[in-house]
Amino acid sequence: QVQLVESGGGLVQPGGSLRLSCAASETIFSTYRMGWYRQAPGKRRELVAVINSDGITNYEDSVKGRFTISRDNAKNTVYLQMNSLKPEDTAVYYCNAKYVSRWYTGEDYWGRGTQVTVSS
């Protein structure tokens, strides 16, 4: 069972930056695929960025070049650095974790979310 806690959200002006953090309880955090999703009002939850256990990343097209996902396995933490923020980035951002190996794919775990608001 994995517990995830997001932090770092808030209000920022267009063009500004925020760094989100997600702290995980899992003691073998390095084996998990980690991701960030977001959900804006009236919209479906969408993938923003993901980083697998090998450090391979991928991003939703609209955030490529602006957002960077990274992980610190020693701290059991995943980050989302968000630069050049736009109003359309406004959403609740959720941390996701999934254990994946060649023998087993686990269930999805979710944090409770952190609000990011981009407005002037």
Side-chain angles (χ1 to χ4, degrees):
Q1 187 172 350
V2 178
Q3 304 291 325
L4 303 172
V5 180
E6 302 99 334
S7 62
L11 175 65
V12 65
Q13 293 184 334
S17 298
L18 286 173
R19 189 179 74 162
L20 305 183
S21 299
C22 173
S25 63
E26 176 57 51
T27 57
I28 51 171
F29 171 85
S30 64
T31 66
Y32 280 74
R33 178 186 296 155
M34 303 296 300
W36 288 95
Y37 291 70
R38 67 186 180 187
Q39 187 168 25
K43 305 295 183 181
R44 296 184 180 274
R45 187 175 298 186
E46 66 175 358
L47 175 69
V48 177
V50 63
I51 182 167
N52 70 13
S53 59
D54 294 320
I56 305 300
T57 62
N58 68 82
Y59 299 89
E60 195 273 328
D61 286 343
S62 69
V63 309
K64 288 180 179 177
R66 299 189 297 122
F67 291 10
T68 303
I69 188 171
S70 62
R71 63 195 299 162
D72 185 338
N73 291 335
K75 297 181 179 180
N76 290 351
T77 301
V78 63
Y79 304 95
L80 185 68
Q81 178 66 47
M82 304 185 293
N83 299 324
S84 302
L85 283 161
K86 304 174 180 179
E88 49 264 47
D89 295 317
T90 296
V92 177
Y93 284 70
Y94 297 91
C95 183
N96 168 267
K98 177 181 288 187
Y99 178 81
V100 178
S101 73
R102 68 175 63 190
W103 305 282
Y104 175 76
T105 300
E107 63 189 291
D108 286 293
Y109 296 92
W110 297 94
R112 296 186 66 180
T114 185
Q115 177 71 48
V116 172
T117 302
V118 185
S119 177
S120 60

